[in-house]
Structures are given as C-alpha cells and as structure tokens.
Amino acid sequence: MSKSSDQEELSAAIASIAGALAAELQQSSSPPFVDPNADLNAAYGIDSLARVELISRIEKQFGARLPEADAIRAATAAEMAHLLQRSLDPAGTSKFRGASKQIHTPLDAAQEPAGASTLLDVLDWHVQHAPERNHVIFEEEENSAVALTYGELRQSASRFAAGLHHAGVEPQTAVALMLPTGLDFLISFFGCLLAGTVPVPLYPPFQHTQLEEHLRRNLATLSNCRASAMIVFPEIHTAARLARFALPGLSLISTPEEILSGPTTAIQRKAAAEQPAFIQYTSGSTSSPKGVVLSHGNLLANIRAMGQACGVRQGDVFASWLPLYHDMGLIGAWFGSLYYGIPLVLMSPLSFIAHPERWLRAIDRFRATISGGPNFAYQLCASRLDSEKLAGLNLSSWRIAFNGAEPVSANTITAFCRRFAPYEFKPEAVLPVYGLAENCVGLCFPPPGRGARIETVSRTKLQLHGIAERIPPEDPDAYASVSCGRPLLGHQLRIIDTEGNEMPERHVGQLQFQGPSATRGYFDNPQANARLFDGRWLNSGDYAYLADGEVFVAGRMKDVIIRGGRNIYPQDIEEAVGTLPGVRKGCVCAWAALDTREGTEKLVVAAETRL
C-alpha cells in the first residue's frame, strides 16, 4: 500500500473516532459528521477539553504517542493522521538531549543574590558564580529535553538585545512577546531587558486557524501599551503583519530567530529598581485592557517574600507546565527559580493539556520538590487519569504543591490527596495560596508542611449575613472553606465593609492590601487606577474573611449573584452542579442575568453532560 493510501486510511479512521466522540457529546445515536478535512471544533464540536479525550482514544487505538503541541493545534482529522504517521515512523523518535536526571545542586540560600536590585543583577550574579549551571531544562516532548545554562541565557539575551538595537527599537518602549512557552521566550524576555525596553507578554493563539481573530483581540492591548515591536513565532509571522496596518507605531514584527541573526555587538542598558520590568495584562477580550506595571523592586520583593514563606532550600527543584505569559508561570516559577538558583524543569502547557500525567511524570523523573497550578489542574489529574497511565509513579519528592490563581476547592484537595496517596503524595505538601497580578503574583501563603486548613461554616449565614460561623462537617448546611494563609512578610491586608470600616474576624468584606510588591498602577488607564486605589490601600476585587489571622477567599466581587437576599458565589454553584450524575465536572458555568419583569437578578446555569 502506498504512503498516500496509508494516510487516507489513517485520516478516515481518526475521522471515525472523532465522529463517535462527537455523537457522544451531542447525545446522538449516529456521528453527526465524518469528514477527515472538516474542522474538529466547528464541524464536530470538539473543544479543547474534548480534544484531550480524542487524543487519548487515538493513542489507545493505534498504540502510539502524538506530539502534544501539534496534536492540540491540529484543525482536522487529516492533520491528526499526519502527526500519527510521523509518530509511527521509527525514524521520527526523539532523543533526550542536553539534560539528565542528575541536576546541579543549587546554591546555598545564604549565597542568594541578596544585593540584587533588578532582574538583570540576578542573572549577572549567577553568571559570575556558576555560568555552566543548568538554569532551565525544557521538556519538548516526553523523554526529549534540552538544557539552558545561566551563561547561555545571558549570551543569547545579549545577542537579542543587539538585534533589537540594530532594528531601531528604542529603549523604554514596549515590546510585545507573543511566544509559546519555551527557551525562545526566556531569551527574548531578558533580551528586551538588556536592550532597555519593557517586555509585554501576550498569550499566543491556541489554534493556527484562528490567527487573524486572535490578533484582532489583542489590538487593544498593543495599542494601550504603545508597543513599538512585536516578537512572534514563525507560524504567525505573516498574519501578525495585519497589526501594523492598525497600529502605525508598531515598527517591527519579527521572530526570535530573525532578531538573533543580527549584529552581535554587546548591548546592555542600565536598569534601576524603580523602573518597570514588564507589563502584565489582566484582561482585554471583554473589557478595556488593564496593564499592571511591575517594577524590578516589586518583583524581587515578591520573590524574596515567597521564597521565605516556602522555605526554599538547597536541593529544591521546580517543575512547571504553567505558561510564561501568565504571572504564576512567569514570576512564581521562572523568576523564583532564577533568583534562588533552583533548576527549573519546564514544559509546554499544551503538553499538560494533551497528557496531564506528564506533569506528574516530570516531578517524578527530576525529583522535583516544588510545583503547582490552578485548582483545575489538580481536579483534572484526580478525575481523568487512570491507573495504567500512572504505573510506577512516585511523588514522594514533592514537598510544596501550591494551588492558586483561581478558587481553591476543598473537594478537589481531598480528591487529589486520596487519588495519589498510593503514589506517595503527602497531604501536608498541599499549599493553597492567594495572589493577584496587582501584587506581582503572591500575597498570602500558609506555612509549608502543614497541609490544607479546611473549615466548615454555615452556608446560610455566609450567604445571608456574611458571617463565617463554624459548624460540624456533617451538618447539612456545612460549606467547606479553604485557608490561603497569612500575608507575606512585609505585606498587609484588611477586610472592609462598603463604608470603608474595617471588619472583625469571620465577617465577609472587601479585601484590600498594601506592601512592597504592590503595583504603582495600570499603564495609561486612569479610570481603572481610580478604582484600584483607596488611599494607600489597593482593592483586590475579592470578598474574603479572616479567621485567626488567615485569609479565606469568598469570591470575586463582580461575579457575586444576589438572589433572594443571598450573596451566591458562582464557583459554589458550579462545583455543586458538577457533582450531579452525568455532568462533566469543570464544565459548568453559573452567572446572573437581569430579570426585567421582576427587576431582580436571576440565576442561570449552563452545564455539559458526559453523554
């Protein structure tokens, strides 16, 4: 049989698998559509979560492993078949290169760059003390990785800075980075700093078939930060040129490879602690973009405080799949590892989406001690991974398992601990945390090694009166609330009512904060800044209460649904509906809509079924 015939057969087989999955999703007795060249999302209704199931079924049927990033982005069954054929070809097997299980021991905590005032100082300190030490080990695919040393990062970033200078990019201007998680991002980010520009991380497009739409959504952000240049990956370079027609100030659109191919003259602008290190955008798809300006001083204060709270020590290894365009991945994982000289095992978030077990395998393989992610990542691993994929897994090295960036669920914590107890995961490793981009990333941490503090309070009194009264867990009215610990060293918070009065403990109110990690404000957005600042305090936008000095977050202020005199937090409704038989956990959305006849809010819930 010819290679083209093989390709056609594989395409038809994968289209059949996709059709069967689509029939299940749409509760139909027959596949709605079986066409190898039809769009998996538009024609089959297979979204990103369903795609995980599709990849799993394909791999199970053919006994092969698809390349994660490409499989997640593949638009059709025919494209999936092409990837599968490559995976079945023995010549296509990849090698584990440049990195090994034996990772250099990090520096003693006493030797940390305590005198550094900028991120550039931190990198230069490590280059001076240990240029050959592995800084990042990037897992491109399972059993295929490449290492980047401190010296290599510094050298490549210096070449990148020279390339920007040669291209005419002026210091103190914004440079947008629309790059996937990988070594190019690391080099480009520090290259921008060395060139004296301000990097602006933007999330890259998920599907290559939606490039133009993705770029249009980001035009407001590019306009707000007044970007003079945009660095993109090759696949979107042509489409990105559309932005230049809408933004006359955007003088350069290029790839990291093109920038690095320029002159090699060393360039390094001096930076100061109070100068912006980068701008983190928190929204922009549904409202005006808000760019949080974070200085070098803000970042180093946050990193040092988080390191002290976690008890970072010699021998720690950080493993992360978190995207570098998000504050938890950028600051918590990368900058934190950089500062303390901890090896960072990095993988693409697309790898995690396609094969969640790869996160856990990386922790085992590299004996990582620190790792984490949003609540959904723990729920996904607890509910979606069968024992076959976890055979031989050992999580005994994992001592800090932080859970943050979205509401922390007591049920998820319990389910994860129970599911991975046979794999030597320790419940005391769980570290529920609270933070926000306006304070770099972290604000509240519990003590490490304690495990999650979960208390049960009266749901009725919480919703009707905003009082967190403790009741026994077996009470039908019991609601499980998770502590996120105390403010980081040097930071303060308070809970206030609508009049600005400080609330006593166990009373829900608006959470405000201040400290050395707090931003000076949003970039060029006076209206948002007026809402952010209350004198010397900053508004978090969250409801919370204090108990024994620890923070229990109730929910986002803008998301609260008022129904029958009760304050209902949508995540509670979504979690409860997700436990119903047949409902896909994590695929529920609750929100408020105006009841025009009654003049009140009504509760709306959308839920996907397992059928």
Side-chain angles (χ1 to χ4, degrees), residues 396-433:
S396 59
S397 66
W398 198 358
R399 73 176 187 88
I400 298 289
F402 60 86
N403 182 334
E406 64 183 27
V408 181
S409 165
N411 290 337
T412 296
I413 290 173
T414 302
F416 187 88
C417 290
R418 185 187 304 117
R419 178 73 179 85
F420 292 97
Y423 304 97
E424 299 191 48
F425 177 76
K426 300 179 287 290
E428 57 268 27
V430 175
L431 198 80
V433 298

Side-chain angles (χ1 to χ4, degrees), residues 277-295:
F278 78 104
I279 302 176
Q280 175 77 59
Y281 276 84
T282 62
S283 66
S285 58
T286 58
S287 61
S288 59
K290 293 186 296 184
V292 180
V293 181
L294 297 172
S295 69

Side-chain angles (χ1 to χ4, degrees), residues 35-54:
D35 180 353
N37 296 306
D39 187 274
L40 290 170
N41 193 359
Y44 289 88
I46 296 176
D47 61 10
S48 56
L49 282 175
R51 188 177 288 251
V52 175
E53 177 63 22
L54 176 62

Side-chain angles (χ1 to χ4, degrees), residues 468-488:
E469 181 181 294
R470 297 196 68 174
I471 59 175
E474 60 272 13
D475 192 302
D477 192 38
Y479 167 74
S481 187
V482 182
S483 167
C484 291
R486 297 173 181 270
L488 295 171

Side-chain angles (χ1 to χ4, degrees), residues 2-175:
S2 68
K3 192 168 185 179
S4 62
S5 298
D6 288 344
Q7 179 75 24
E8 289 175 6
E9 283 194 12
L10 282 177
S11 297
I14 291 175
S16 180
I17 296 171
L21 176 58
E24 293 177 26
L25 293 172
Q26 298 174 27
Q27 304 181 51
S28 172
S29 57
S30 60
F33 206 77
V34 180
D35 180 353
N37 296 306
D39 187 274
L40 290 170
N41 193 359
Y44 289 88
I46 296 176
D47 61 10
S48 56
L49 282 175
R51 188 177 288 251
V52 175
E53 177 63 22
L54 176 62
I55 292 170
S56 177
R57 293 186 185 191
I58 293 170
E59 291 179 338
K60 199 165 191 176
Q61 178 160 326
F62 291 96
R65 190 83 159 182
L66 290 168
E68 291 101 343
D70 291 337
I72 286 292
R73 292 193 176 111
T76 67
E79 290 182 24
M80 283 277 197
H82 177 70
L83 297 174
L84 181 63
Q85 197 164 50
R86 274 171 38 198
S87 298
L88 293 170
D89 179 8
T93 55
S94 53
K95 302 296 182 183
F96 190 72
R97 65 190 192 280
S100 70
K101 291 183 182 180
Q102 301 301 317
I103 300 175
H104 290 301
T105 302
L107 305 175
D108 291 330
Q111 291 182 282
E112 68 183 66
S117 59
T118 69
L119 292 174
L120 293 173
D121 293 341
V122 172
L123 178 57
D124 285 345
W125 190 92
H126 285 292
V127 170
Q128 180 182 354
H129 286 80
E132 299 303 317
R133 188 187 302 275
N134 283 347
H135 167 40
V136 173
I137 294 131
F138 181 60
E139 274 206 329
E140 298 165 310
E141 297 286 347
E142 194 167 30
N143 297 323
S144 172
V146 60
L148 180 73
T149 68
Y150 293 102
E152 289 168 341
L153 174 59
R154 181 64 172 79
Q155 184 178 31
S156 296
S158 181
R159 286 175 51 209
F160 190 95
L164 284 181
H165 177 73
H166 179 74
V169 179
E170 293 293 330
Q172 300 179 17
T173 60
V175 175

Side-chain angles (χ1 to χ4, degrees), residues 107-450:
L107 305 175
D108 291 330
Q111 291 182 282
E112 68 183 66
S117 59
T118 69
L119 292 174
L120 293 173
D121 293 341
V122 172
L123 178 57
D124 285 345
W125 190 92
H126 285 292
V127 170
Q128 180 182 354
H129 286 80
E132 299 303 317
R133 188 187 302 275
N134 283 347
H135 167 40
V136 173
I137 294 131
F138 181 60
E139 274 206 329
E140 298 165 310
E141 297 286 347
E142 194 167 30
N143 297 323
S144 172
V146 60
L148 180 73
T149 68
Y150 293 102
E152 289 168 341
L153 174 59
R154 181 64 172 79
Q155 184 178 31
S156 296
S158 181
R159 286 175 51 209
F160 190 95
L164 284 181
H165 177 73
H166 179 74
V169 179
E170 293 293 330
Q172 300 179 17
T173 60
V175 175
L177 303 179
M178 191 175 284
L179 299 169
T181 294
L183 301 187
D184 279 348
F185 183 100
L186 310 181
I187 292 166
S188 300
F189 190 97
F190 260 96
C192 288
L193 294 183
L194 288 170
T197 62
V198 181
V200 180
L202 301 177
Y203 67 97
F206 183 75
Q207 294 269 338
H208 290 172
T209 56
Q210 302 170 344
L211 296 182
E212 292 185 16
E213 179 188 349
H214 180 84
L215 289 165
R216 276 195 292 268
R217 284 202 304 265
N218 280 278
L219 285 178
T221 298
L222 292 166
S223 175
N224 178 254
C225 71
R226 298 193 283 275
S228 63
M230 182 162 66
I231 310 301
V232 299
F233 56 103
E235 290 84 351
I236 69 169
H237 188 217
T238 301
R241 293 176 183 171
L242 295 172
R244 296 188 68 173
F245 294 104
L247 303 167
L250 188 63
S251 60
L252 174 70
I253 297 177
S254 188
T255 66
E257 185 178 7
E258 290 172 342
I259 296 295
L260 288 167
S261 65
T264 57
T265 307
I267 296 289
Q268 178 170 357
R269 306 284 180 181
K270 290 293 184 182
E274 65 275 8
Q275 287 182 327
F278 78 104
I279 302 176
Q280 175 77 59
Y281 276 84
T282 62
S283 66
S285 58
T286 58
S287 61
S288 59
K290 293 186 296 184
V292 180
V293 181
L294 297 172
S295 69
H296 289 273
N298 290 149
L299 293 166
L300 291 184
N302 204 235
I303 291 164
R304 287 164 175 148
M306 290 190 295
Q308 189 265 351
C310 290
V312 174
R313 61 196 185 207
Q314 187 175 19
D316 276 331
V317 176
F318 205 128
S320 176
W321 58 267
L322 299 167
L324 291 173
Y325 48 83
H326 186 273
D327 50 15
M328 185 182 279
L330 180 65
I331 305 170
W334 181 29
F335 294 167
S337 298
L338 172 70
Y339 181 85
Y340 285 103
I342 296 172
L344 173 62
V345 179
L346 188 66
M347 67 175 63
S348 166
L350 297 181
S351 298
F352 170 75
I353 293 172
H355 298 107
E357 72 277 7
R358 272 201 55 195
W359 172 34
L360 306 179
R361 290 288 183 191
I363 293 171
D364 180 2
R365 183 181 304 115
F366 292 94
R367 306 312 297 153
T369 58
I370 305 174
S371 191
N375 190 81
F376 87 86
Y378 291 93
Q379 182 59 49
L380 189 66
C381 290
S383 61
R384 296 280 184 91
L385 299 181
D386 55 40
S387 299
E388 182 183 339
K389 293 182 177 179
L390 302 175
L393 182 69
N394 185 317
L395 299 176
S396 59
S397 66
W398 198 358
R399 73 176 187 88
I400 298 289
F402 60 86
N403 182 334
E406 64 183 27
V408 181
S409 165
N411 290 337
T412 296
I413 290 173
T414 302
F416 187 88
C417 290
R418 185 187 304 117
R419 178 73 179 85
F420 292 97
Y423 304 97
E424 299 191 48
F425 177 76
K426 300 179 287 290
E428 57 268 27
V430 175
L431 198 80
V433 298
Y434 171 74
L436 64 170
E438 289 79 358
N439 198 61
C440 291
V441 62
L443 179 59
C444 298
F445 276 52
R450 181 185 73 178

